[in-house]
Amino acid sequence: MNILAIGAHWDDIELGCGLTLKKLREKGHNIFSAVVCSSQYGKDENEGMKESEALAYGLKSFELIGANYVPTNKEPNSKLVYNKKIMQIFEGIANTKKIDAVFTHWFGDLNTDHKATWEISRTAFRNVKNFLMYQSNSYSDNVNIFTPNLFFSFNQESYLFKEKILSQYVSEWTRREIRWKREIFERERYWGHISGNDYAEGFQIGKVVDFFV
């Protein structure tokens, strides 16, 4: 199958579904990835990663996963809204690459770029048979609560690969390693427990027509 992962920012895909994509690639599926926004943020948009830096990091990470990166123009960080132009670009990718399954952000995410990416994805990939939502950072407000109902599980040894792909983003890993291990890794250790393994990446199903494992 042809599988596409969409991230609002560089590193979102790795945080939410990086190990799952690697597992699917090892099972023979074709993996594609696309990133919507710049990863420069802050009041003056001078924090985070410059695009050239983020691209270099991301290409290394996607190579380790086995994902083919699809280049797109990057939107400004924290300013993304539903955009017909981007929607049509994604729809074109789905048609050209004959995409069978999409991984994208969860609709209830408090990060506005994440939420807008879901909204664009929802329309762009309306004809794709399998539509799965992931949670990258744990942004929620206890009004909308991420409730995964599909899990890809990993033993402790295979889960270590998550550190490897995230650490390709050298500047972000340096800043966020402790936070991510608490916020992301501990969350996925719990998901592993409820799915019968050491760790798991969890997804909320939008639509599943063909089971693609």
Side-chain angles (χ1 to χ4, degrees):
M1 296 182 72
N2 298 317
I3 298 167
L4 174 64
I6 300 290
H9 312 105
W10 295 99
D11 74 26
D12 281 335
I13 290 171
E14 290 85 350
L15 288 168
C17 59
L19 292 183
T20 297
L21 296 177
K22 181 174 183 289
K23 175 179 279 192
L24 292 170
R25 179 68 189 92
E26 290 171 347
K27 290 182 178 292
H29 303 296
N30 301 311
I31 310 298
F32 300 92
S33 60
V35 178
V36 183
C37 299
S38 162
S39 288
Q40 287 200 277
Y41 51 82
K43 183 177 180 181
D44 300 314
E45 295 184 17
N46 58 0
E47 299 177 46
M49 298 178 284
K50 294 180 180 179
E51 185 57 28
S52 58
E53 178 185 54
L55 175 63
Y57 295 157
L59 289 178
K60 290 179 181 178
S61 176
F62 292 150
E63 182 179 5
L64 289 170
I65 291 169
N68 300 296
Y69 172 62
V70 181
T72 57
N73 292 329
K74 299 297 176 278
E75 299 295 308
N77 192 296
S78 303
K79 297 178 182 178
L80 185 66
V81 295
Y82 181 86
N83 183 310
K84 183 178 179 181
K85 181 180 178 181
I86 300 172
M87 186 278 289
Q88 290 177 331
I89 289 171
F90 283 171
E91 186 177 31
I93 293 171
N95 293 334
T96 302
K97 305 295 186 184
K98 301 185 185 306
I99 297 301
D100 300 294
V102 168
F103 289 85
T104 192
H105 287 275
W106 167 58
F107 65 85
D109 203 308
L110 289 182
N111 183 292
T112 56
D113 288 342
H114 295 182
K115 189 176 181 69
T117 297
W118 165 77
E119 189 175 9
I120 294 167
S121 298
R122 183 189 189 193
T123 304
F125 306 120
R126 61 195 179 278
N127 294 321
V128 175
K129 292 183 289 186
N130 300 287
F131 188 92
L132 302 172
M133 294 169 284
Y134 64 80
Q135 186 180 37
S136 48
N137 304 89
S138 297
Y139 298 133
S140 62
D141 57 4
N142 293 317
V143 175
N144 286 320
I145 299 173
F146 185 69
T147 52
N149 50 10
L150 176 67
F151 299 92
F152 287 79
S153 68
F154 306 89
N155 61 31
Q156 186 156 359
E157 182 179 359
S158 61
Y159 190 80
L160 290 174
F161 188 76
K162 189 138 188 165
E163 289 190 30
K164 186 172 183 178
I165 57 176
L166 285 169
S167 65
Q168 300 307 305
Y169 295 94
V170 178
S171 55
E172 290 296 285
W173 181 253
T174 300
R175 276 194 291 262
R176 301 178 187 275
E177 176 184 0
I178 294 173
R179 171 187 162 181
W180 280 347
K181 286 185 174 179
R182 181 77 183 270
E183 176 186 358
I184 309 299
F185 293 14
E186 286 301 308
R187 172 190 75 189
E188 293 179 353
R189 190 159 72 98
Y190 169 70
W191 290 346
H193 168 69
I194 63 175
S195 59
N197 211 331
D198 296 325
Y199 290 86
E201 290 180 336
F203 304 94
Q204 194 163 333
I205 296 171
K207 177 172 60 171
V208 170
V209 175
D210 289 326
F211 190 67
F212 51 86
V213 177

